[in-house]
Amino acid sequence: MAPHTLGWLPIIWPAYKTGDGIEPTLLAQFHPLERALAAMGVAVWPMIELEADDALASAAHSAAADDGVQKVCIWTPDKDLAQCVRGDHVVQVDRRTQKIRDAAGVREKFGVEPALIPDFLALVGDAADGYPGLEGIGLVSAARLLGRYGPLESFPPEALGKRRELALLFKNLATLRMDAQLFDNVEELRWHGPTKEFETCVTQLNDTRLLARALKARRN
């Protein structure tokens, strides 16, 4: 079984992305939102064996490899997605802070290159994903260690001592898969406007303005 399947990860770290703490009212919106997006004509990939972040990472990686793609924007503030940033070709967009983070932006925010984000998160932890990192290592000291030694596998034995295996476990959790086959051609992602089902969908949502906005966006 692949190391990032949902059935395996909770075994190696029980608190990893359990969904605990999600408001029931928010959780109840997931499937209706999925159906609404599909009706709107947006490409939707329901994740069963993989995490949603793995899908984002895989999609960004595949799209970036296409010569016809000028820029890939990953719209999420999640720290782990920063590992997918590549120069100014693949960037991370944080809508809440109105920031577009390229590789230089990742270095400015975290103090490490995008490729070292899994190592960085392994040391400092990621509360959103449920693993704590190593006690006593903060943001500055983690960036300093990675700047000195590189990835965790290159650390000398004395740097982490007995905590090395735990750090490597957290790195495994923080490392996103980029090999999921989500589409054969980027043209499959091109938006052609809402489907006929979208009108029914927005009526059920009691917000017919969404249809007008979608049609306007399609014309533009």
Side-chain angles (χ1 to χ4, degrees):
M1 186 176 288
H4 273 67
T5 57
L6 298 182
W8 187 75
L9 282 178
I11 295 175
I12 62 173
W13 192 257
Y16 180 75
K17 291 189 178 182
T18 61
D20 291 345
I22 296 180
E23 291 290 338
T25 52
L26 176 61
L27 188 62
Q29 296 177 42
F30 287 178
H31 291 301
L33 176 60
E34 181 181 310
R35 291 193 296 270
L37 287 172
M40 188 179 174
V42 176
V44 177
W45 306 304
M47 290 293 101
I48 299 174
E49 288 295 319
L50 299 178
E51 297 286 353
D53 287 352
D54 292 320
L56 288 172
S58 295
H61 180 75
S62 297
D66 190 293
D67 292 336
V69 175
Q70 182 178 4
K71 186 183 291 289
V72 177
C73 299
I74 307 173
W75 287 73
T76 174
D78 289 1
K79 295 186 288 293
D80 52 356
L81 267 299
Q83 67 191 267
C84 303
V85 172
R86 298 291 181 269
D88 60 0
H89 184 49
V90 181
V91 300
Q92 188 176 15
V93 182
D94 187 338
R95 186 178 62 85
R96 290 180 296 184
T97 62
Q98 299 294 305
K99 288 188 176 181
I100 299 176
R101 196 167 291 123
D102 57 11
V106 172
R107 290 193 296 271
E108 179 182 358
K109 181 174 176 62
F110 300 104
V112 299
E113 297 291 332
L116 288 175
I117 288 296
D119 305 83
F120 179 82
L121 294 178
L123 295 175
V124 304
D126 190 344
D129 285 345
Y131 55 92
L134 302 187
E135 186 177 356
I137 297 182
L139 304 178
V140 175
S141 56
R144 186 181 299 119
L145 284 168
L146 294 169
R148 181 177 182 182
Y149 299 122
L152 293 179
E153 292 82 358
S154 300
F155 277 36
E158 65 273 13
L160 298 177
K162 296 180 180 179
R163 300 186 297 174
R164 183 177 187 275
E165 290 304 314
L166 183 61
L168 290 173
L169 182 151
F170 291 151
K171 178 177 178 177
N172 182 39
L173 296 180
T175 301
L176 299 179
R177 283 188 56 173
M178 299 188 185
D179 59 351
Q181 185 63 35
L182 300 172
F183 53 88
D184 294 321
N185 190 292
V186 291
E187 282 300 316
E188 297 176 30
L189 308 182
R190 188 179 296 279
W191 186 60
H192 298 286
T195 69
K196 294 179 180 179
E197 289 75 19
F198 191 58
E199 183 174 359
T200 301
C201 184
V202 298
T203 300
Q204 293 173 342
L205 293 172
N206 197 29
D207 193 348
T208 55
R209 295 173 302 173
L210 293 173
L211 177 60
R213 292 172 62 182
L215 293 173
K216 181 179 179 181
R218 178 65 188 95
R219 289 193 298 268
N220 294 338

